[in-house]
Amino acid sequence: MSFARSLWKLLVGIKDLLVLIFMLLFFGLLYVALRASPDPVLGDGVLLVDLDGSVVEEAQPADPFAELAGQPAIREWALPDVLAALKAAKEDDRVAAVALDLDGFMGGGQPAMEEIGEALDAIRAEGKTVTAFATGYVGDSYQLAAHADEVHLNPMGAVALAGPGGSQLYFAELLERLGVTANVYKVGTYKAAVEPFTERSMSEPARENMRALVEALGEQWRDDVKAARPAAQLDLVMDDPVSAFAGSSDLAARAVELGLVDQLSSRREWEARLAELGGADDDAPGGFKRIELADYIALETPREKGGEIAIVTVAGNIVDGSADPGTAAGESLVDALERAKERDYKALVVRIDSPGGSALASERIRNAILDLKAEQDIPVIASFGTYAASGGYWVATAADKIVAPTSTLTGSIGVFAVLPSFEGSLDKLGIGVDGVRTTPLSGEPDLLAGPSEAADTLFQAGVESTYAKFLAIVAEARGLPVERVATIAEGRVWDGGTARQLGLVDQYGGLDDAIALAAAEAGIEGEPSVHWIARELSFSAKLADMFGGANEEAPAPDAFARIAGRPDALMLRAVSTLEELLAGPTIQARCLECAPVTPPQAAETAATRSWLARVLFD
């Protein structure tokens, strides 16, 4: 009886604990919803473009349980939403000025910055003031600030302009010490995605490709900033920073002398300037009349649910299976395109911002686009974002024409697979491996003793077969001989400007240019209406959408912390790269070598998701 009573008390205690957890969950979500819901009424004043976090093509749903678990979440702003808000603000009489608060901005890629810069220029052309503030300006944040009428810098701040390029990690020696063998199967002299697993440093072909790429992107960045801010001594600052700042006891004041910024202002002084531009409001934060960007996007620029031109977004790594926005999951995108057949469109724009991924998923997405195109007999235009490389370009071959900014990263037409085996690890531990086989492929791939010659031959043949299909698809789509495509393939990455010269791109421009081209191809007169093809969300994503997300503001570090970047993001990238190795022999059309060109961003992995989300949904 004593045991039974103890068991009963234990069960009652577990029940009470579960009730308590779910009550906390309910009230926590209610709190998040009430705090995150936008103000249903917008006043007038300054549109505060407070870009805490990063700008991406397609924002991942926030983890609704992260805040409850005490884990901060960095906000992601969808580029189309930001552009739509700036376009609306240009004509909106309630918007007196636009303020760029870049203290917590973590970047978003050169093509995105160019598009936002053009939108800011259009606002200035309407006679509205654009003003920017930050404690530390670096590449992406300065590119945006250059398009402002006024660039304010915190007196404790600095400007550091490094240009594209950087380092990445190589794991060959580590894997050797651990006894792990990276069995690599690839096609393409320049397919450097596998080098982190096989080399101790960058190979000469990869270095040649990367140098040409970053130099082209660097020149395009300078051209954009110089055109927007011709008085800045940009070449001196970037090419000879020692001379530019030598002997200066005040880096912020020196930035003014070099024409990089207009004036030094504390945040309070900048907010006083915003009150001059948009009106004072002693009851509002900062003391000025403000329109929050999130509210403005939600209430003034909602994505249309019906239109003549459909837009489908292929953003993030291309993977098999299903996933929420921010990852280009083959199953999810195919389902969304299948549902899109229920509507009648006059054209389709495929917005691609992906370094590629699974070759199988890339082909599935391409076929789904072709099916919609054939069934509705409509033109298809591909629009490139920061990346449209490897598997991203594979998807783009379904389009009739391709529109891309000059600074996009594309090409990388190559295929690889990496299969880890652990014979060396087991040997170090004194563990033997043995067994019997009935055929040369029995028990293959053998991850313990290492793949056999027959398995190696089979995997390499699979990679070569996929590569041959890739070349044939590109050749047919671009109207080029296969031999010509082979010379510009080999896994080499190209900037958008060079890609057009090679015939991989038809026209320069952003999403608006692609929509205009689609309208012209479809014979649509006047301003075309658009419909964003949405995919089904997971339960956790629906919760995040219902409660407006649980994103927190990014911290505003001092200038040198901003210059130093995100060491944790570099480590996350290293972990992610090793996960690629352990994922197995999936044939990949992916441009992993594209990543170092832009500053590292924080990435969500299983380890970084909140424990509550993992318990409930994994």
Side-chain angles (χ1 to χ4, degrees), residues 52-115:
D52 281 344
S54 59
V55 171
V56 297
E57 190 62 40
E58 186 177 53
Q60 296 183 21
D63 182 351
F65 305 101
E67 190 170 341
L68 298 178
Q71 297 181 2
I74 302 302
R75 182 160 200 150
E76 292 184 339
W77 297 92
L79 174 63
D81 292 339
V82 174
L83 293 175
L86 294 176
K87 183 177 181 181
K90 182 182 69 170
E91 308 290 344
D92 192 340
D93 292 336
R94 295 171 301 178
V95 178
V98 173
L100 301 174
D101 187 344
L102 301 173
D103 241 354
F105 184 47
M106 298 171 62
Q110 195 166 316
M113 299 305 100
E114 291 171 359
E115 289 199 73

Side-chain angles (χ1 to χ4, degrees), residues 231-310:
Q233 299 182 46
L234 200 62
D235 289 336
L236 173 63
V237 170
M238 298 189 71
D239 297 335
D240 193 2
V242 174
S243 297
F245 293 100
S248 175
S249 60
D250 189 333
L251 293 180
R254 181 59 177 157
V256 176
E257 294 172 0
L258 292 168
L260 299 175
V261 302
D262 294 303
Q263 66 186 80
L264 304 183
S265 306
S266 67
R267 176 169 288 277
R268 185 179 294 275
E269 291 168 336
W270 184 61
E271 290 171 342
R273 171 59 177 155
L274 299 185
E276 293 176 5
L277 292 171
D281 184 352
D282 294 336
D283 296 328
F288 63 93
K289 292 181 179 179
R290 63 169 66 196
I291 303 172
E292 298 285 354
L293 178 62
D295 293 352
Y296 198 71
I297 289 173
L299 299 177
E300 295 301 315
T301 63
R303 296 193 180 185
E304 297 181 47
K305 300 302 181 183
E308 303 162 297
I309 298 178

